Amino acid sequence: MADNTQTRDMPPLTVRGSFVPGTVNREARTVELTWTTGARVLRHTWSDGTFYEELSLDPAHVHLDRLRNGAPFLADHASWSVGAVRGVVESASVTAGEGRALVRFVRAGVDEEADELFEKIADGVCTKVSVGYRVHKMEKVADSDDGTPVYRAISWTPYEVSAVAIGADDGAGFRSASPVQTNPCEVITRGDSPHEETAMPQNNPSNDIITAERTRAATITSLVSRNALPAELADKLIREGTNMDAARAVILEALATRSDGHGGPGQVPSGAVERGNSHGALNDMARNMGAALAQRVGVKANIPEGAAQYARLGIVDMARMCLEARGVRTSLMGKSQIVQRAYSTTSEFPALLGEAGNRSLMDGYAAYPSGIRQVSRAGSLVDFRAKSLLKLSEAPELLKVSEHGEYKHGSMTSTKESYRLETFGRIFSLTRQAILNDDLGSFDMIRKFGRAAAELEASTLVALLVSNPLMSDGLAVFHASRGNLDASGSIISVASIGEAVRAMRTQKCLGSNIPANIAPKFLVVPAALEVVALQHVASINAAQSSHVNPFGGTGRLEVLVDPRLDAVSATAWYLASDPNETPAIEHSHLDGQNGPEIIEHVGHAVDGTAWKCRLDFGAAIIDAAGLYKNNGA
């Protein structure tokens, strides 16, 4: 049976519903509520299309840590504003197919709006409630009667509860003395959809879409007005169809710029408005922060200019900025809470850590001495099936045709070499303690993983060279019959190099007597022969022609030293052709990759971030004619 479980990194979601109050405690300022019944909801996004979503109420599938850790009770999901906090979730549980909670309001007289909301709930006037949550993993369970896919959230986290004006799930709300009748959910909020509030209809779809658009426009207009920003900003955001997450970010940026003295009251900086969709700005911020973090651990290559402004920030400071860029006030939060909220409510904080990790990884990978890798041609494989490389022989010799003579048939031969990708990897973690301590040792570890990946590739290529594997024609790579092996061996000298060059040029092409005429480019030696090899490729300003070094100077032989060769033979040396002209060795990564990669995972099983370093790599000798071996002496 196919495994249809899907892992999704989804934006915040909310399900709204109605309630009937009946457990209001005026002295304690508390009220009980049912924040979900797990009812099926019809959703639509640009990326996933239309589908039904169900919330599993198996206690093992619902992560209640955030609700139980003082989650806010809000008005209208206004998570960007501390002023919208009306109380706190005192306790939360999943029992008898319901999500239940006890909410405590702020004490009387502290917040007039909280007092007003409390009285409306007690009087049964305010009768709607909503829960905000994130889905981590979904399982496809069935298709509905109308063919719409149905997914069940089997790993999800509720993180806030709100009083709202319009609800959908009649089973979700403040609890009365006896259970209330439940109805299916109707309305959702999705942060990445074109309209944050998308009404999922029971009757007329177009009416609900119109309602959602009106709600979006009204919310944007209200936010702009309350913050004394120009009405033109609201008109622009509404006209361009900016979703609510992006609109809040633009408004926040406008306020921040005004606070920094770049504009007077009611003036909006042109940069904030012209940008339109500020998701790009937030992504740029995350990339620049990640680059600055990588620079702190020694990465110097390709650091963008925008990273300089974040150079002195610690990891917790960056987490704080990510939250505040999303409109979350952090002034009353401790370091641990800031990091926890940044992980769970923003995509920028995990992204900047991933940026720093990838930069550190590739810095370690690129800094490793390439050595023998320069001999190999870089290829690419789209999957893990064997790649076959077919080599055709030269065309048959053209024969003279006499008058009235017949043309004779000719034939060509071929060889085929193949190899496939293999996957290599390890897992390591950036712990919560390291983040709070601003300990960058984990990023230095990532750089060492990059070096380890380069080492693995180099070791693989050296192993191919020294193992002398069989080719598809049944002969070893280095074989006397090929003319590319001096088994008796000789030291490196002008004479021995000259003989090796002659042997490579005079090899016969496949299936013919035509000289291959391959010119070597590299002299590959173990560390024991490095000095001798360099002496024999050095340029000499000779007074006599007999003293001229024919292999020195620009464009002649280039020495490649690989100390791994010493473990097999400290005397053997090799010639290799230019891989761009006559490739002898080929190596590949998976299509779209140019080396190792790291995959980040933030989950409940990891107190921090787990990183998986993965390398998909394969290599093979594809043409023996581009190689020559002398066993040395």
Side-chain angles (χ1 to χ4, degrees), residues 19-25 29-35 73 90-91 93 98-105 118 121 129 161 172-178:
F19 57 84
V20 178
T23 57
V24 174
N25 185 326
R29 301 274 288 180
T30 62
V31 61
E32 295 180 23
L33 57 87
T34 297
W35 42 271
F73 177 69
E90 291 275 278
S91 63
S93 64
E98 291 182 339
R100 302 177 182 176
L102 178 68
V103 171
R104 176 173 59 83
F105 277 68
F118 185 81
I121 292 171
V129 71
V161 179
F174 291 89
R175 292 179 57 77
S176 60
S178 60

Side-chain angles (χ1 to χ4, degrees), residues 180-262:
V180 297
Q181 183 66 32
T182 62
N183 291 316
C185 295
E186 298 173 334
V187 183
I188 64 170
T189 301
R190 177 125 191 198
D192 64 346
S193 61
H195 311 298
E196 181 182 348
E197 297 186 5
T198 305
M200 292 306 173
Q202 288 184 339
N203 297 310
N204 190 334
S206 61
N207 289 341
D208 286 341
I209 293 174
I210 292 171
T211 301
E213 174 59 15
R214 287 174 177 170
T215 303
R216 183 185 73 89
T219 304
I220 291 175
T221 302
S222 176
L223 285 173
V224 169
S225 175
R226 288 207 315 258
N227 289 284
L229 294 170
E232 294 78 19
L233 175 59
D235 294 340
K236 181 178 178 64
L237 295 173
I238 294 169
R239 183 176 63 254
E240 294 182 350
T242 308
N243 68 51
M244 284 307 304
D245 273 355
R248 286 170 182 142
V250 171
I251 293 169
L252 179 67
E253 184 175 349
L255 288 171
T257 306
R258 188 176 68 187
S259 298
D260 289 340
H262 299 300

